[in-house]
């Protein structure tokens, strides 16, 4: 055989096979899902991302000139239980660490969202429902709305009145002289407000009234005028509080004295300074015991003591004194109804107290699982991010609440009155505790701007919650029996499918403000958590993901990250290009749908096929002059039954001759000689490109998993053709057999087509919801 002829033949084949692939793919284009973007999906996000600068680097880390301002508070708070009213006095020191002169300061008045005439009350369109409960009807159409706004009684600097302007939930202090870089400003503030009932008047804080014994249980937050954040990204973050977008807060040191009825028990952000003044002798000795109990909680205030106190209604008061350093907020919870338990937990060699506070209405569920869930969460999250830096973490039981503050959070999960509870209540309670305790990491320490980016804390936290729940299930198998694993509500890819394939009209990209999305739970919690889980399991792998995630947490611990800081760090620390992933999952409402469009079974032959000859001629090659190897489809008229069951070398003497002439015996032994050739056209109706995972089942029953990189879709977003050569006959192909990618339509995932219940449907049924 002539070497030159062979070479030119090879070149022609290389050339035409490339063209063929492109042509056939172009012909196969299908109508596509509507989307929000129309660029090459692998294009870098330069235009979308903020430009890196000296404050935030292109690597996603704090830059050389990174700064953050600080606000320290000294406060005296008095809770009037009889009138459900809170009075406060504060001395605030604000440190301007920015390079900018500040002519005014913005202070957040969150309680103003509950002013009688607050615009927030009218922010949603409302119709009259055809049927309503009397309670709902009265509250909607007959009652005056509750007046729970802040009443500012004094605002002074060194005793002199300050000029200020209130715009809804924001208060601007106008400074006589601008606050210079590096300087601080002190001011004093006095205020009061009516505390809302958080059951009847849904809110992130307030009180629950227990009519049977006449007591209230308070979970109090946003109770003081809080400094807004000033930074390199927003200037002042003074976007109004409307209710859905949570908070943006600077770090600071707190000294807070809280005066409540003498028979109350309290927990709060910070270290209790006068435990001996507020605990009984018995409580003190049980507390000392709890410090050494690492496997089970010690009851510090018993249910019997709490029930006794429920009757007392003391007229005396006690002041609880707390100090906290480097926290971004402060919350407290108090009632005479509270039972208190504690357990020491070793977090990376440091003792942290896991604490629970609950009324008897939470038992027996709360004494059983709350504190254990707290301790287990601290360990799981510390492993994923950084060592938990505070000395305690408190879980408070409050009906209908799931809300987080530094070191303390409110959680739902209440048994029926007879003490019985369903699995739904139990796992709901454990999950919400894991979630809210987890918020200590995001956003209490990795202090993102919740007002603008709800997903940054909720999404990251819900993802970490998923891992922590699975670990909780492993640590306490008795809690999940007879289930094999903890029944996580969010994180598993298949669970986000109903949302992602839903009506596009009611879906917003993850990168949306929480006020402007239709389904906040799916948008800010479920979808980002699932995306991160898929990123870890399917795109990056545990090792690369875990390192990058930890790097992000360390870089931004006690700082204020933006979404770009997260996106950039995940790439920077892993060398995995993820722009396509962020674009698809975070910036659009596209979904994942990949499948098998067509499978052709092919054989090698010496007999020139019509299609093969035309092909060569089209590109100026003479079929008579070329020793070509032809490929024939099993279904075509030109197919010869004799080709079946034989290998390529057996079917083509041209091929055999070439191999004999050009390879030594040793080299020939290493050559494969496939019997079966398949041309598979994979399709991608979904807008998000994802790695293509295919399971091949062979005639002998064996299976093989093939993972094609996502880059397969970079030139053609619609279809991708793959030639597969194998020694064993393929009898079945399944795309994404383990449901890793949140594929919204699995009807096109299997070849040959199956008409039976899909694996996804079976999976959904097995979950029972
Ligand atoms: Zn949350």
């Amino acid at each position: 055989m002539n070497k030159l002829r062979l070479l030119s033949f090879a070149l022609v084949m290389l050339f035409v096979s490339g063209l063929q692939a492109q042509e056939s793919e172009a012909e196969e284009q299908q109508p596509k899902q509507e989307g929000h973007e129309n660029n090459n999906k692998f294009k870098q996000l330069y235009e979308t991302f903020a430009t890196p600068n000296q404050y935030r680097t292109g690597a996603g880390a704090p830059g050389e000139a990174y700064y953050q301002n600080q606000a320290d508070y000294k406060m005296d708070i008095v809770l009037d239980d009889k009138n459900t009213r809170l009075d406060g006095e504060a001395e605030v020191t604000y440190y301007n660490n920015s390079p900018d002169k500040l002519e005014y300061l913005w202070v957040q008045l969150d309680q103003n969202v509950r002013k009688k005439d607050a615009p927030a009350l009218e922010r949603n369109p409302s119709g009259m429902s055809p049927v309503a409960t009397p309670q709902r009807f009265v509250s909607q159409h007959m009652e005056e709305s509750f007046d729970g706004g802040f009443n500012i009684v004094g605002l002074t600097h060194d005793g002199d009145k300050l000029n200020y302007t209130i715009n809804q939930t924001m208060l601007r202090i106008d400074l006589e002289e601008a606050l210079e870089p590096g300087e601080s400003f002190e001011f004093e503030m006095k205020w009061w407000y009516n505390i809302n009932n958080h059951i009847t008047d849904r809110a992130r804080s307030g009180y629950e009234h227990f009519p049977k014994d006449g007591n209230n249980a308070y979970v109090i937050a946003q109770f003081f005028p809080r400094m807004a954040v000033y930074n390199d990204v927003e200037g002042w973050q003074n976007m109004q509080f409307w209710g859905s977008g949570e908070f943006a807060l600077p770090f600071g040191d707190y000294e807070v004295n809280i005066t409540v009825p003498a028979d109350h028990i309290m927990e709060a952000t910070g270290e209790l300074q006068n435990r001996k003044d507020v605990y009984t002798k018995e409580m003190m000795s049980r507390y000392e015991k709890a410090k050494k109990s690492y496997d089970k909680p010690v009851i510090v205030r018993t249910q019997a003591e709490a029930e006794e106190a429920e009757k007392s209604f003391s007229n005396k008061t006690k002041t609880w004194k707390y100090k906290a350093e480097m926290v971004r907020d402060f919350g407290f919870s108090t009632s005479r109804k509270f039972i208190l338990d504690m357990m020491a937990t070793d977090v990376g060699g440091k003792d942290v107290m896991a604490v629970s506070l609950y009324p008897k209405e939470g038992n027996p569920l709360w004494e059983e699982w709350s504190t254990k869930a707290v301790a287990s969460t601290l360990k799981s999250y510390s492993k994923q991010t950084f060592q938990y830096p505070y000395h305690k973490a408190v879980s408070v039981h409050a009906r209908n609440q799931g809300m987080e503050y530094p070191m303390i959070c409110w959680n739902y999960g209440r048994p029926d009155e007879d003490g019985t509870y369903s699995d739904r209540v139990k796992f709901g309670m454990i999950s919400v505790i894991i979630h809210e305790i987890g918020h200590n990491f995001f956003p209490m320490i990795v202090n993102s701007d919740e007002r603008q980016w709800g997903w940054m804390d909720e999404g990251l936290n819900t993802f970490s919650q998923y891992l922590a729940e699975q670990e909780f299930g492993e640590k306490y198998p008795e809690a999940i029996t007879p289930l094999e694993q903890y029944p996580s509500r969010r994180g598993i890819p298949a669970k986000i499918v109903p949302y992602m394939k839903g009506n596009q009209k009611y879906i917003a990209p993850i990168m949306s403000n929480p006020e402007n999305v239709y389904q906040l739970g799916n948008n800010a919690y479920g979808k980002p958590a699932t995306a991160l889980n898929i990123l870890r399991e399917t795109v990056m792998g545990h090792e690369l993901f875990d390192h990058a995630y930890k790097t992000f947490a360390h870089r931004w611990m006690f700082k204020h990250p933006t979404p770009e800081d997260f996106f950039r760090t995940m790439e920077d620390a892993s060398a995995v290009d993820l722009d396509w992933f962020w674009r698809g999952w975070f910036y659009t409402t596209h979904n994942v749908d990949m499948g098998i469009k067509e499978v052709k079974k092919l054989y090698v032959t010496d007999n020139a096929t019509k299609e093969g000859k035309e092909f060569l001629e089209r590109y100026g090659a003479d079929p008579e002059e070329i020793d070509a190897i032809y490929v024939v489809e099993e279904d075509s008229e030109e197919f010869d039954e004799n080709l079946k069951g034989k290998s390529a070398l057996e079917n083509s003497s041209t091929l055999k001759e070439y191999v004999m002439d050009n390879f030594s015996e040793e080299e020939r032994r290493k050559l494969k000689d496939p019997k079966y050739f398949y041309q598979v056209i994979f399709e991608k109706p979904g807008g998000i490109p994802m790695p293509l995972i295919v399971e091949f089942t062979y005639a002998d029953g064996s299976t093989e998993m093939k993972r094609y990189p996502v880059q397969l879709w970079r030139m053609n977003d619609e279809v991708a053709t793959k030639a597969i050569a194998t020694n064993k006959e393929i009898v079945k192909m399944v795309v994404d057999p383990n449901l890793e990618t949140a594929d919204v339509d699995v009807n096109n995932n299997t070849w040959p087509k199956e008409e039976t219940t899909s694996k996804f449907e079976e999976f959904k049924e097995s979950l029972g919801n």
Side-chain angles (χ1 to χ4, degrees):
M1 190 171 285
N2 175 326
K3 277 241 167 93
L4 192 69
R5 211 170 85 177
L6 257 173
L7 187 68
S8 65
F9 164 69
L11 282 173
V12 169
M13 283 315 285
L14 200 70
F15 175 62
V16 298
S17 65
L19 279 173
Q20 184 190 32
Q22 280 178 31
E23 270 180 1
S24 70
E25 284 163 21
E27 280 162 17
E28 307 296 352
Q29 285 197 4
Q30 276 207 333
K32 288 289 294 178
Q33 176 200 12
E34 290 280 336
H36 296 187
E37 289 238 356
N38 192 23
N39 278 317
N40 181 300
K41 289 172 179 165
F42 291 83
K43 193 175 93 173
Q44 300 296 288
L45 286 160
Y46 294 125
E47 293 99 321
T48 312
F49 282 2
T51 309
N53 52 41
Q54 71 269 38
Y55 306 114
R56 289 160 203 276
T57 72
E64 202 183 15
Y66 176 83
Y67 68 85
Q68 59 196 25
N69 291 353
Q70 184 172 334
D72 293 349
Y73 302 83
K74 285 183 184 162
M75 295 193 274
D76 289 302
I77 304 297
V78 178
L79 179 89
D80 178 347
D81 182 32
K82 288 207 176 79
N83 298 304
T84 54
R85 168 181 155 142
L86 184 143
D87 282 72
E89 270 187 70
E91 204 181 286
V92 184
T93 310
Y94 185 69
Y95 299 88
N96 180 16
N97 299 322
S98 84
D100 311 324
K101 277 188 192 179
L102 303 177
E103 300 154 279
Y104 41 78
L105 309 178
W106 281 102
V107 181
Q108 313 186 62
L109 303 178
D110 310 86
Q111 293 298 337
N112 282 4
V113 79
R114 265 180 292 284
K115 258 183 143 42
K116 222 163 126 164
D117 54 355
L121 298 172
E122 297 287 358
R123 76 183 160 138
N124 293 324
S126 64
M128 220 161 150
S129 69
V131 57
T133 62
Q135 187 199 7
R136 195 170 164 76
F137 189 89
V138 168
S139 86
Q140 266 188 330
H141 305 294
M142 296 166 73
E143 257 177 1
E144 279 265 24
S145 48
F146 173 75
D147 201 2
F150 275 124
N151 301 280
I152 306 294
V153 185
L155 184 56
T156 56
H157 169 65
D158 275 344
D160 298 333
K161 276 191 182 167
L162 283 165
N163 285 325
Y164 66 91
T165 301
I166 294 174
N167 172 13
Q168 297 184 43
T169 62
M170 292 286 162
L171 180 153
R172 189 189 68 230
I173 299 176
D174 294 317
L175 302 175
E176 266 177 30
E177 281 172 55
L179 181 58
E180 297 284 335
E183 301 281 297
S184 65
F185 183 77
E186 257 182 51
F187 62 93
E188 307 86 39
M189 207 160 201
K190 252 181 141 167
W191 71 94
W192 68 271
Y193 70 93
N194 293 313
I195 303 170
N196 57 297
N197 178 324
H198 70 76
I199 306 291
T200 56
D201 194 13
R202 285 288 289 149
R204 296 169 196 280
S205 74
Y207 67 88
E208 177 183 359
H209 184 67
F210 293 80
K212 277 199 172 162
D213 53 64
N215 281 287
N216 297 326
Y218 295 86
V219 284
I220 299 294
Q222 297 101 42
F223 64 93
F224 58 103
R226 305 184 293 176
M227 287 304 304
V229 167
Y230 180 87
N231 67 16
D232 58 295
V233 182
E234 300 277 352
W236 284 103
Q237 173 48 297
N238 55 9
M239 190 179 277
Q240 297 289 341
F241 180 46
W242 290 96
S244 297
E246 292 184 279
F247 311 109
L249 297 156
F251 287 106
D253 298 340
Y254 286 67
E255 282 178 42
V256 186
N257 303 325
I258 307 164
T259 301
V260 294
D263 45 6
H264 271 215
I265 292 294
M266 189 187 300
E267 267 297 346
T269 302
E271 214 156 353
L272 181 57
Q273 303 297 302
N274 60 335
R275 199 175 300 271
K276 282 187 182 142
D277 301 341
V278 290
Y279 275 21
T280 62
K281 251 197 211 138
E282 291 78 17
M283 283 174 72
M284 276 312 289
S285 78
R286 294 171 197 149
Y287 168 69
E288 291 302 328
K289 239 174 86 187
K291 279 189 190 166
K292 290 171 206 111
S293 177
Y294 292 88
D295 53 348
K296 64 177 205 288
V298 173
I299 308 274
V300 174
R301 196 210 205 192
T302 66
Q303 181 162 335
E305 287 163 346
E307 284 183 38
E308 195 52 39
E310 280 179 356
K311 302 170 203 154
S312 56
F313 296 99
S314 173
N315 282 322
K316 295 199 183 102
T317 61
K318 259 185 195 168
T319 300
W320 298 61
K321 299 179 176 176
Y322 293 92
K323 265 190 191 175
E325 281 172 12
M326 278 303 267
V327 288
R328 60 164 241 171
D329 201 358
F330 195 99
F332 68 93
S333 179
T334 179
S335 176
R336 57 179 67 83
K337 287 178 68 69
F338 281 147
I339 300 159
L340 177 65
D341 75 47
M342 298 183 188
M343 177 172 96
T345 181
D346 178 345
V347 181
K350 198 189 108 189
D351 276 1
V352 178
M353 198 68 108
V355 183
S356 296
L357 193 64
Y358 42 94
K360 66 175 188 293
E361 284 76 5
N363 268 339
L365 187 55
W366 275 70
E367 64 186 13
E368 180 87 25
W369 290 118
S370 175
T371 296
K372 284 177 184 164
V374 173
S376 170
T377 305
L378 294 175
K379 282 178 191 251
S380 289
Y381 274 69
S382 293
K383 212 163 62 186
Q384 291 178 51
T385 58
F386 42 76
Q387 186 174 351
Y388 183 67
Y390 299 131
H391 73 291
K392 71 171 177 189
V394 186
S395 161
V396 180
H397 176 40
R399 200 176 136 202
N400 299 346
Q401 286 283 348
M403 195 55 211
E404 70 276 14
Y405 301 97
M407 303 180 215
I408 192 166
C409 54
W410 333 139
N411 301 299
Y412 54 75
R414 185 166 296 177
D416 293 335
E417 267 187 56
D418 63 2
T420 60
Y421 52 84
S422 62
D423 271 0
R424 197 168 154 251
V425 169
K426 179 172 100 177
F427 291 124
M429 171 253 197
I430 294 170
S431 286
V432 74
I433 292 173
I434 293 174
H435 180 95
E436 306 306 341
I437 291 290
H439 269 309
N440 275 298
F441 296 80
F442 310 103
M444 295 307 152
I445 295 167
V446 177
N447 189 351
S448 59
D449 177 353
E450 299 177 274
R451 183 64 46 87
Q452 180 56 42
W453 304 117
W455 72 267
M456 259 201 99
D457 69 308
E458 297 302 353
L460 268 60
N461 185 41
T462 303
F463 161 73
S464 286
Q465 174 195 348
Y466 169 74
L467 298 181
E469 282 173 353
Q470 296 307 313
E471 283 188 12
F472 178 87
E474 285 157 25
K475 188 170 165 65
Y476 297 108
E478 68 273 26
I480 59 168
T481 312
L483 301 175
E484 274 169 30
Q485 69 180 92
Y486 189 93
S488 290
R489 189 157 76 100
R490 288 174 169 139
I492 295 160
K495 293 200 171 193
I496 202 66
V497 166
Y499 168 70
M500 289 186 71
K501 75 171 177 194
N503 189 341
Q504 283 284 324
K505 232 176 129 179
Y506 303 111
I507 305 177
I510 293 174
M511 286 293 286
S512 300
N513 185 284
E515 292 294 343
N516 308 334
V517 302
Y518 301 94
Q519 306 171 56
L520 191 60
N522 283 317
N523 199 93
Y525 299 64
K527 187 179 165 189
T530 310
L532 294 179
N533 196 27
I534 292 173
L535 195 57
R536 181 172 189 258
E537 296 293 336
T538 303
V539 178
M540 296 174 78
H542 290 193
E543 205 183 315
L544 290 173
F545 180 95
D546 292 351
H547 170 72
Y549 193 66
K550 204 174 239 197
T551 301
F552 169 74
H554 275 266
R555 282 179 173 177
W556 293 97
M557 183 183 186
F558 292 119
K559 296 192 171 70
H560 299 273
T562 64
E564 286 99 326
D565 296 325
F566 177 68
F567 297 146
R568 285 180 165 135
T569 296
M570 292 303 287
E571 265 199 13
D572 193 69
S574 70
V576 182
D577 176 29
L578 294 171
D579 294 54
W580 61 273
F581 187 87
W582 308 134
R583 175 183 285 111
W585 282 91
F586 287 75
Y587 286 88
T588 78
T589 60
H590 289 164
N591 55 40
V592 177
D593 183 13
M594 295 179 290
I596 298 165
K597 188 179 167 66
E598 188 188 276
V599 178
K600 281 183 185 167
K601 215 168 169 181
L602 305 170
Y603 287 87
V604 169
T605 174
D606 284 333
N607 299 332
T609 61
K610 198 166 156 263
E611 198 190 349
K613 279 199 282 188
E614 280 171 11
F615 209 95
L616 290 173
E617 281 158 4
R618 210 181 316 156
Y619 296 102
D622 181 354
E624 303 296 324
E625 287 289 309
I626 285 180
D627 295 324
I629 297 151
Y630 291 86
V631 167
V632 61
E633 225 186 292
E634 197 184 67
D635 288 342
S636 85
E637 281 177 10
E638 291 171 296
F639 181 67
D640 175 356
E641 285 291 325
N642 290 324
L643 297 170
K644 265 193 174 170
K646 291 190 211 140
S647 75
L649 285 172
E650 284 165 348
N651 279 335
S652 168
S653 53
T654 310
L655 183 64
K656 192 164 186 181
E657 202 179 311
Y658 168 73
V659 169
M660 294 304 286
D661 288 352
N662 292 280
F663 294 86
S664 71
E665 205 187 320
E666 203 194 330
E667 285 169 336
R668 286 202 297 272
R669 268 203 301 275
K670 286 182 192 154
L671 287 179
K672 287 181 275 182
D673 183 17
K675 267 189 183 160
Y676 300 92
F677 295 86
Y678 299 87
Q679 175 150 292
V680 187
I681 302 177
F682 295 102
E683 61 178 2
K684 188 176 83 58
I688 302 181
M690 286 293 280
L692 179 67
I693 306 155
V694 189
E695 185 186 62
F696 298 99
T697 305
Y698 298 103
D700 65 3
S702 62
T703 60
E704 193 183 347
M705 193 80 108
K706 179 94 186 152
R707 288 170 177 266
Y708 300 101
V710 65
Q711 282 74 12
L712 184 64
W713 306 109
R714 77 197 186 285
M715 307 289 237
N716 185 329
D717 195 42
E718 323 278 327
V719 288
T721 306
K722 276 282 175 190
I724 295 153
T726 161
N727 248 324
K728 297 191 280 186
E729 188 185 0
I730 297 174
V731 294
K732 191 178 175 186
M733 301 182 201
V734 183
V735 167
D736 193 13
N738 299 325
L739 307 174
E740 294 175 47
T741 65
D743 191 318
V744 298
D745 178 12
V746 293
N747 287 314
N748 59 351
N749 285 29
T750 306
W751 174 86
K753 270 217 177 316
E754 273 176 356
E755 296 301 330
T756 50
T757 320
S758 72
K759 202 168 170 187
F760 173 65
E761 293 298 328
E762 279 171 30
F763 180 74
K764 240 171 58 178
E765 277 157 27
S766 78
L767 297 171
N769 61 357

